[in-house]
Amino acid sequence: MRKAIALQPADHTMRVAPGRRGPPSFGQEVEIRGVSKFYGDMRAVDAVSLKVAPGEFLSLLGPSGSGKTSLLMMIAGFETADQGTISVGTRDLTYVAPNERGIGMVFQKYALFPHMTVAQNIAFPLKMRKFPADDIRRKVQETLALVRLEDYGERMPSQLSGGQQQRIAVARAIVFEPPVLLMDEPLGALDKKLREQLQIEIKQLQQRLGITVIYVTHDQEEALTMSDRVAVMCHGRLEQIGTPVELYERPGSALVADFIGKMNFIDGEWVGLGGAAGIVRVKNCGSLAAHGNPRGSDAVLAARQPVRMAIRPEQWRISKQGQGGEYVLDGVIQNAIFVGSYRVFLVRLADEGVVQVQLPAGQASQHLAEGESVELSCEPEAIHLFPARIAG
């Protein structure tokens, strides 16, 4: 990794990492060690430890009150950790003032200066760092080009759309080439189509510059789309960290399984058949074959132990009554919903309520009608199994 760029007037043209996945140009490692934050008796962040690699895009994902924004504010320096340490590169920043950390920050509300032009807004952090006027003009124009707003320098923020204002906020945060960029739900105020467009643009810009990004969101699709890794938080704790694929396919807890993607939960009783193989019997509607390796636990399942199955909607197979095979759950199609490229069937399973089944919108799903009795099955590998006591 190349040495981080010093924030001083001697700085030269903004460097760009070659290629889509090139080496980081100025991103640095972030290390959080045992960080906790208290607000009175409430522990908002509970002994969180994680490392963010140079040039990595890491999202902090969780519901409201999970501690993700409090953790971000401590990295930025706007809040002080009550326990633990925070470092960027070789610098311990735990008690360093926010303006001395050299970290870029983008908020949901764009926080642009309304009395300044676009160019003046972007130039502001450079002026605060005493860059020469010629360097400021050059860097502002380079950064405007990066966010594809080269001709907007003389406009006022009020003359821009929401998406354009957020691009300018990003430009202002990266113009001085910070080692880390923090983003606090920056797309939350935008409509869905524009939000999806900017997700791709921000990710491409981050890859091109090689900057380290820590991104806070409660939107799971946004986190999965943009991130190299996602850290799922709940009640101030780090529940699981991994790539989007790892979290989706191998959730470490029922909470993560429920929060990442759509998931059906079905309670049942474990019936072991030897080794890791077995079946889960579901009251009044049948049974499914499963592997007895409960996620998030080292416990060995005992016979007749209550368990919770988690199954993705797209993992189901649906058959007419008597055609599903040996291990099936009996149900009745309550609703059939057309959603473009796929169909969603809401199937009622006796005492277990309604589950979602997602099938491609082809011939195989067109013969299924509301009110029809059906059988549901899936591969054992599709079942995420959790002991009921940790199903949460």
Side-chain angles (χ1 to χ4, degrees), residues 161-232:
S161 68
Q164 290 168 340
Q165 289 187 58
Q166 195 57 288
R167 285 191 183 96
I168 298 305
V170 171
R172 187 178 61 184
I174 66 174
V175 69
F176 62 94
E177 301 186 2
V180 178
L181 177 61
L182 307 180
M183 308 186 83
D184 187 14
E185 306 220 31
L187 308 181
L190 306 177
D191 64 71
K192 186 176 187 296
K193 185 174 182 180
L194 182 56
R195 190 165 65 245
E196 291 173 349
Q197 177 185 337
L198 286 183
Q199 287 171 9
I200 295 171
E201 289 186 16
I202 289 172
K203 179 60 179 175
Q204 289 175 338
L205 181 63
Q206 180 264 338
Q207 289 177 331
R208 185 178 178 192
L209 296 176
I211 194 169
T212 305
V213 172
I214 301 178
Y215 189 101
V216 161
T217 182
H218 66 274
D219 186 326
Q220 52 158 298
E221 289 187 14
E222 187 167 89
L224 296 178
T225 298
M226 301 178 74
S227 309
D228 298 314
R229 287 190 302 157
V230 178
V232 181

Side-chain angles (χ1 to χ4, degrees), residues 3-23:
K3 186 177 180 181
I5 297 172
L7 302 179
Q8 57 187 17
D11 183 32
H12 297 290
T13 303
M14 179 176 290
R15 286 177 282 176
V16 175
R20 186 173 181 274
R21 289 284 186 181

Side-chain angles (χ1 to χ4, degrees), residues 90-383:
T90 59
R91 295 181 65 205
D92 185 337
L93 301 184
T94 311
Y95 302 108
V96 174
N99 62 314
E100 296 177 359
R101 296 192 178 205
I103 290 175
M105 186 87 193
V106 180
F107 301 92
Q108 179 176 342
K109 295 184 178 178
Y110 319 121
L112 299 176
F113 299 116
H115 62 288
M116 294 183 181
T117 66
V118 164
Q120 289 168 340
N121 265 280
I122 298 173
F124 183 78
L126 300 176
K127 289 183 176 180
M128 294 297 99
R129 289 165 173 79
K130 309 297 184 184
F131 278 70
D134 288 345
D135 285 353
I136 291 176
R137 282 192 294 270
R138 172 174 48 76
K139 280 181 163 291
V140 167
Q141 201 56 38
E142 289 172 0
T143 309
L144 279 169
L146 281 173
V147 297
R148 300 190 295 114
L149 292 173
E150 298 95 322
D151 300 325
Y152 287 71
E154 298 308 311
R155 297 195 187 188
M156 304 301 291
S158 61
Q159 297 175 295
L160 305 179
S161 68
Q164 290 168 340
Q165 289 187 58
Q166 195 57 288
R167 285 191 183 96
I168 298 305
V170 171
R172 187 178 61 184
I174 66 174
V175 69
F176 62 94
E177 301 186 2
V180 178
L181 177 61
L182 307 180
M183 308 186 83
D184 187 14
E185 306 220 31
L187 308 181
L190 306 177
D191 64 71
K192 186 176 187 296
K193 185 174 182 180
L194 182 56
R195 190 165 65 245
E196 291 173 349
Q197 177 185 337
L198 286 183
Q199 287 171 9
I200 295 171
E201 289 186 16
I202 289 172
K203 179 60 179 175
Q204 289 175 338
L205 181 63
Q206 180 264 338
Q207 289 177 331
R208 185 178 178 192
L209 296 176
I211 194 169
T212 305
V213 172
I214 301 178
Y215 189 101
V216 161
T217 182
H218 66 274
D219 186 326
Q220 52 158 298
E221 289 187 14
E222 187 167 89
L224 296 178
T225 298
M226 301 178 74
S227 309
D228 298 314
R229 287 190 302 157
V230 178
V232 181
M233 295 189 66
C234 186
H235 303 304
R237 297 186 297 274
L238 183 61
E239 190 76 17
Q240 186 177 355
I241 185 168
T243 67
V245 172
E246 287 170 347
L247 295 180
Y248 190 85
E249 295 185 350
R250 295 183 294 280
S253 69
L255 186 148
V256 174
D258 192 25
F259 201 75
I260 300 293
K262 295 177 181 177
M263 187 68 82
N264 296 294
F265 287 95
I266 303 172
D267 291 323
E269 181 181 83
W270 173 251
V271 181
L273 298 179
I279 62 173
V280 177
R281 184 179 295 124
V282 180
K283 185 178 180 181
N284 294 330
C285 62
S287 60
L288 292 175
H291 295 304
N293 53 338
R295 312 279 178 166
S297 173
D298 295 328
V300 176
L301 291 175
R304 305 194 67 177
Q305 179 175 341
V307 294
R308 171 162 285 187
M309 294 185 290
I311 304 169
R312 301 283 182 196
E314 67 272 18
Q315 296 289 346
W316 287 113
R317 293 190 296 260
I318 186 167
S319 308
K320 291 183 176 294
Q321 200 72 31
Q323 298 178 8
E326 183 177 3
Y327 297 114
V328 298
L329 301 181
D330 297 321
V332 176
I333 296 176
Q334 184 171 288
N335 296 100
I337 305 167
F338 176 71
V339 192
S341 61
Y342 62 92
R343 293 174 185 265
V344 173
F345 297 89
L346 304 183
V347 180
R348 178 165 293 281
L349 301 176
D351 298 338
E352 285 302 310
V354 175
V355 299
Q356 284 194 30
V357 179
Q358 180 178 312
L359 298 177
Q363 293 293 331
S365 63
Q366 290 180 3
H367 68 284
L368 299 169
E370 294 180 357
E372 186 174 2
S373 295
V374 293
E375 295 175 341
L376 299 183
S377 60
C378 65
E379 295 295 330
E381 293 78 11
I383 299 175

Side-chain angles (χ1 to χ4, degrees), residues 49-104:
S49 296
L50 61 88
K51 277 187 180 183
V52 188
E56 181 177 19
F57 195 119
L58 177 95
S59 286
L60 300 175
L61 175 67
S64 298
S66 62
K68 57 190 186 297
T69 296
S70 293
L71 182 58
L72 194 80
M73 292 299 104
M74 286 188 283
I75 300 170
F78 299 131
E79 297 281 359
T80 302
D82 294 315
Q83 296 174 349
T85 61
I86 298 168
S87 62
V88 173
T90 59
R91 295 181 65 205
D92 185 337
L93 301 184
T94 311
Y95 302 108
V96 174
N99 62 314
E100 296 177 359
R101 296 192 178 205
I103 290 175

